[in-house]
Amino acid sequence: MTSKAAIRAVYDDPRVEGMESLYTAIGEKLQQGISFDDAYAQTIAAGGEVAATWIRFCVQCSTRFEEPPVEADFLAVLQAISRERMGL
């Protein structure tokens, strides 16, 4: 199982442009009181460059782990970073 610290390291070195836009898109919804699960789903469902960035990031990340991380842990780190970027 991949630790959250190892997952965080991948987020800290994404090697994918546009991650700040992803964090902002999710963070703005969190500021409105929307749950993380709904904010994430709405952001990805909206498509566009932000959703494409997330897909590129996930594909790129798949080669950086010997064993894929638990999805809940991977998304928990995304939530934490989105909240941090928005000062939540």
Side-chain angles (χ1 to χ4, degrees), residues 6 10 33-34 36-37 44 46-47 50 52 55-56 66 87-88:
V10 172
I34 297 172
F36 172 75
D37 290 338
I44 301 309
V50 172
I55 292 167
R56 283 192 309 275
E66 288 182 28
L88 300 173

Side-chain angles (χ1 to χ4, degrees), residues 75-88:
L75 292 176
V77 175
L78 174 61
Q79 178 180 8
I81 293 172
S82 297
R83 288 185 176 284
E84 289 168 13
R85 296 296 199 278
M86 300 307 289
L88 300 173

Side-chain angles (χ1 to χ4, degrees), residues 18 21-22 25 40 42-58:
S21 296
L22 172 69
Y40 170 77
Q42 289 173 17
T43 300
I44 301 309
E49 189 58 34
V50 172
T53 296
W54 176 245
I55 292 167
R56 283 192 309 275
F57 177 73
C58 290

